Amino acid sequence: MVNSRIKRKKQRRKRLKKKALLLAFLTVMLFAVVVVYQFDSGRKESLQQISSANINGESKSNEDNETNEIEFNTDHIENENEYINVLLVGVDAEEGNQARTDTIMVAQYHPKEGIAKLVSIMRDTYVSIPGYRDNKINSSFFFGGPELLRKTIKENFNIDVEYYAMVNFDGFVQVVDTIAPSGIDIDIANRMYYHDPYADLTIDFQPGEQTLDGQETLNYVRFRSDSENDFGRVRRQQEVLDLLKDELLSFSGITRIPKLVGTIDPYVDTNIQGSKILSLGRDFFLNPIEEVETLTIPIDGGYVDDRVAHAGAILKPDLEKNKQALDDFFSIEDDTLSAVNDQEREKEKDTEDNT
């Protein structure tokens, strides 16, 4: 009798285990279907917009350049770091013209620590460009694309960059509209107005709290027709990236990630492999980034306004001051690493206790 009850209990446990495994399998399959569907849906929407734009004679994506492999040398990286440096470039490419950039950033990400740091380099920073005469740093991208920009950053600021990601204006709009379909809330401090009839561009914002969609957010970060000039634009770029990070880490933001990846795929050029993106994405949610630390180069007190005949108005940096500021900014204090390690040990202990 006792043996019979034990046998029935074992059989029930086996059935429950099989049901649990089946449920887990079905859940994974459903999740995979949703991910693929959202990715495909986002990519189709982008391609439809691109097709429509091309019919109207506009060039919207980077897909036309996919057959032209972009040079980006990573042989200078001697070993696998516990962090990565990514060169972020905002590209303004008009049809028939060489690509220009007015956004140059270097993002450093420590996956295990959940630490992200972002350096914005002012486009008018006057630097040494390998193989060319000294000029504004954004000229290096115009002359030689991301590879020459990488070399320029290395030569002047001693920063090694392993990866690059280039996105055009239309891609930025799609990113904002996908991550925050209801818009992002921004408190605009002062009146912002600019009109360029030749570029068919009007930027017009009143002061106060406003909810901006993708196109309006692009106008917000592009504006520089005030006393802050490019410094204000860089500050707004950093502000918007931080807001998008918060939106992405929300539950609704997480569910939109597959669609986001599919949506921006036609608009982005990068050398980051898909497997690396998945690995970084996993770390991103296991170790959420609480705050993105930012720095602008050249630093306050680390440059002078100047003018040269071949480049016009420039920011002439004190390279030693700025390199020291970068070294200090990118260094992670021992107490920060210790706190992160303590958190990891606590997680491991909780897991062991639960087991």
Side-chain angles (χ1 to χ4, degrees):
M1 189 76 172
V2 175
N3 290 336
S4 178
R5 282 201 300 271
I6 293 173
K7 188 176 180 180
R8 285 198 298 272
K9 284 182 180 180
K10 286 183 177 179
Q11 289 174 340
R12 279 200 300 271
R13 280 199 295 268
K14 285 182 180 180
R15 287 196 297 270
L16 288 173
K17 188 176 182 180
K18 287 181 179 179
K19 289 180 179 179
L21 289 172
L22 178 61
L23 180 61
F25 174 76
L26 291 175
T27 301
V28 170
M29 291 300 295
L30 178 61
F31 177 75
V33 169
V34 171
V35 167
V36 172
Y37 173 78
Q38 287 199 359
F39 175 88
D40 191 55
S41 173
R43 198 169 195 280
K44 282 181 178 177
E45 288 178 12
S46 290
L47 292 175
Q48 285 173 357
Q49 291 184 3
I50 292 166
S51 176
S52 176
N54 288 338
I55 290 173
N56 294 325
E58 302 173 18
S59 180
K60 288 281 185 178
S61 79
N62 294 323
E63 287 211 325
D64 295 337
N65 300 323
E66 284 184 351
T67 55
N68 300 323
E69 185 176 350
I70 294 176
E71 178 191 4
F72 199 78
N73 182 18
T74 57
D75 294 340
H76 58 288
I77 305 300
E78 296 180 357
N79 50 50
E80 186 70 22
N81 295 322
E82 293 186 356
Y83 61 86
I84 64 168
N85 287 332
V86 183
L87 174 62
L88 305 176
V89 182
V91 179
D92 179 11
E94 297 179 0
E95 188 174 12
N97 294 326
Q98 198 164 353
R100 300 169 298 169
T101 176
D102 61 4
T103 301
I104 302 171
M105 297 179 174
V106 175
Q108 185 174 99
Y109 177 45
H110 297 251
K112 293 181 180 178
E113 291 81 16
I115 295 174
K117 302 191 177 190
L118 185 69
V119 172
S120 296
I121 303 177
M122 303 289 290
R123 66 177 187 169
D124 291 341
T125 305
Y126 195 68
V127 293
S128 170
I129 301 176
Y132 295 83
R133 68 189 299 186
D134 292 0
N135 209 321
K136 297 177 181 180
I137 193 167
N138 67 335
S139 296
S140 64
F141 183 84
F142 182 82
F143 295 146
E147 171 61 6
L148 184 57
L149 179 55
R150 178 196 70 76
K151 288 179 179 178
T152 301
I153 292 172
K154 171 64 177 176
E155 178 168 312
N156 291 272
F157 302 110
N158 198 31
I159 301 175
D160 277 328
V161 180
E162 302 98 314
Y163 302 104
Y164 73 86
M166 300 189 302
V167 60
N168 61 30
F169 288 161
D170 299 291
F172 178 85
V173 171
Q174 295 300 318
V175 168
V176 175
D177 285 338
T178 304
I179 294 178
S182 298
I184 56 176
D185 296 327
I186 294 178
D187 189 4
I188 297 176
N190 302 299
R191 178 86 164 93
M192 300 170 67
Y193 182 81
Y194 172 76
H195 179 64
D196 183 352
Y198 299 102
D200 192 24
L201 173 65
T202 299
I203 299 174
D204 188 2
F205 295 114
Q206 297 291 339
E209 184 86 15
Q210 300 188 39
T211 301
L212 308 183
D213 63 18
Q215 184 60 54
E216 292 167 334
T217 303
L218 174 63
N219 290 343
Y220 176 73
V221 299
R222 290 184 68 186
F223 181 80
R224 63 188 181 102
S225 298
D226 60 8
S227 58
E228 289 187 289
N229 203 287
D230 273 336
F231 286 95
R233 173 155 60 179
V234 166
R235 177 182 56 77
R236 285 187 289 274
Q237 289 170 353
Q238 294 174 344
E239 173 193 8
V240 167
L241 286 177
D242 196 47
L243 290 170
L244 290 175
K245 180 267 298 181
D246 292 339
E247 189 72 31
L248 189 62
L249 283 172
S250 68
F251 176 77
S252 59
I254 291 172
T255 61
R256 284 191 290 270
I257 287 179
K259 184 174 182 179
L260 170 66
V261 175
T263 299
I264 67 174
D265 179 65
Y267 295 98
V268 177
D269 274 327
T270 182
N271 66 335
I272 307 177
Q273 299 298 319
S275 57
K276 185 68 175 179
I277 293 175
L278 290 174
S279 174
L280 293 173
R282 178 200 62 199
D283 292 326
F284 182 73
F285 291 108
L286 289 177
N287 305 295
I289 299 169
E290 294 184 4
E291 180 184 5
V292 178
E293 300 178 53
T294 60
L295 179 71
T296 299
I297 295 294
I299 60 171
D300 289 340
Y303 72 96
V304 294
D305 291 302
D306 203 352
R307 178 175 288 274
V308 291
H310 67 281
I314 61 168
L315 303 174
K316 190 172 183 179
D318 181 324
L319 288 180
E320 292 307 313
K321 277 188 178 181
N322 283 279
K323 282 194 284 190
Q324 185 59 55
L326 285 165
D327 287 342
D328 295 341
F329 179 71
F330 280 133
S331 66
I332 297 183
E333 301 296 334
D334 291 338
D335 55 353
T336 300
L337 293 175
S338 177
V340 171
N341 290 332
D342 288 343
Q343 291 176 359
E344 290 296 321
R345 282 193 288 270
E346 284 295 325
K347 289 180 182 178
E348 291 176 1
K349 185 177 182 301
D350 290 342
T351 301
E352 291 174 0
D353 291 343
N354 292 331
T355 304

